[in-house]
Amino acid sequence: MSEVNWGRIKWQSRRGMRELDLMLLPFVEHDLPKMDAAAVAAYMDLLDATDLELFRWLHHTAEPNTPQRKQMVETIIACHATRAGREGV
């Protein structure tokens, strides 16, 4: 991945479900830019999932369907936990 289109990634991260937006958008704004190209590719793959799948994976009511997606979901959850309780993030 030579050039990352952050605007496109951020737009695709807006899922229309507030619970997802609260986890995905801060991750894209604060955490993902610090990660390597493999992580960005894994995140973009994750965005192919449906909103319901993402919701279930991020809230541990279902298991992601690939090891790569499982790792990215755990990364998002861990990053979200570091922001819990902080206003504006």
Side-chain angles (χ1 to χ4, degrees):
M1 172 175 297
S2 58
E3 187 68 28
V4 176
N5 185 338
W6 292 107
R8 180 174 178 237
I9 292 172
K10 186 173 179 181
W11 179 256
Q12 290 179 325
S13 297
R14 296 182 65 109
R15 304 304 287 214
M17 186 182 290
R18 183 138 174 88
E19 294 86 348
L20 293 178
D21 290 350
L22 290 173
M23 292 183 83
L24 298 179
L25 293 174
F27 177 76
V28 169
E29 292 172 0
H30 301 287
D31 304 306
L32 191 59
K34 300 173 190 170
M35 296 180 181
D36 62 15
V40 174
Y43 182 77
M44 291 173 66
D45 172 67
L46 189 71
L47 292 178
D48 288 337
T50 67
D51 289 357
L52 185 56
E53 287 174 319
L54 287 171
F55 181 85
R56 288 178 176 166
W57 296 343
L58 290 167
H59 291 89
H60 292 289
T61 59
E63 185 84 10
N65 54 2
T66 68
Q68 180 180 354
R69 285 180 171 182
K70 182 176 182 175
Q71 178 60 43
M72 182 50 62
V73 165
E74 293 305 321
T75 300
I76 293 168
I77 291 168
C79 290
H80 179 71
T82 66
R83 285 188 290 279
R86 290 180 25 208
E87 294 297 321
V89 178

